[in-house]
Amino acid sequence: MRPNKKDPSPIDVEVGRRIRMRRRILGMSQTTLAEGLNVTFQQVQKYEKGKNRVGASRLQSVADCLDVPVSFFFEGVAEPRETNGEEIFGAGNDLAGFLATGEGIELNRAFSRIKDQRTRLKIIGLVKSLVGAYS
């Protein structure tokens, strides 16, 4: 249960974060998404921050606009336990959070433009070796 009724649910925050991440990956503005949903861009902002809960039919519309299945918004969500809500989500949050940043989007767009599979694999190896050097 949430500590304060006015605080957004951790699940609502996660769904909003994934909406924002996918919208940004597509290079879509809040206004464009809002037009597709027939709401204001301010409403999209509230969804993305988790301040307003996204109902089931609206979430289906969001999924359609963002070209993902509804399950995309819940992938990796762990079963709720008796906690204060901080531990509801799996370890994928760090990755999803990074992918929603400007750096994450820029890195993914650039990487997806590399057509040669061997080059992509070499880059992955390089990054893994760099991570090992700093851990």
Side-chain angles (χ1 to χ4, degrees):
M1 199 160 182
R2 290 181 277 170
N4 181 341
K5 277 188 165 186
K6 293 186 180 199
D7 290 341
S9 152
I11 292 174
D12 293 332
V13 172
E14 180 66 11
V15 167
R17 195 166 64 84
R18 290 177 187 215
I19 290 171
R20 180 174 189 262
M21 175 184 65
R22 179 64 181 166
R23 177 184 61 75
R24 292 188 67 197
I25 286 171
L26 294 174
M28 181 185 293
S29 70
Q30 288 179 331
T31 301
T32 302
L33 178 57
E35 288 169 356
L37 299 174
N38 200 27
V39 298
T40 65
F41 80 90
Q42 290 95 336
Q43 184 62 43
V44 170
Q45 286 176 333
K46 290 178 184 178
Y47 289 151
E48 289 183 357
K49 291 179 181 175
K51 291 188 184 291
N52 284 13
R53 184 169 282 158
V54 184
S57 61
R58 181 61 49 104
L59 190 59
Q60 181 63 61
S61 296
V62 170
D64 292 343
C65 287
L66 298 177
D67 197 30
V68 292
V70 171
S71 61
F72 168 82
F73 302 107
F74 302 99
E75 289 171 358
V77 174
E79 288 295 316
R81 293 178 264 156
E82 299 239 354
T83 67
N84 63 1
E86 296 298 316
E87 300 173 4
I88 287 183
F89 303 102
N93 277 353
D94 291 342
L95 176 60
F98 171 72
L99 291 174
T101 67
E103 286 179 328
I105 292 168
E106 188 176 340
L107 179 64
N108 278 286
R109 283 186 181 152
F111 188 81
S112 69
R113 287 189 209 116
I114 300 169
K115 301 301 178 203
D116 182 57
Q117 182 180 14
R118 284 182 39 182
T119 302
R120 287 194 310 264
L121 291 173
K122 286 181 180 183
I123 291 170
I124 292 169
L126 172 65
V127 171
K128 285 182 176 179
S129 70
L130 289 172
V131 169
Y134 292 104
S135 53

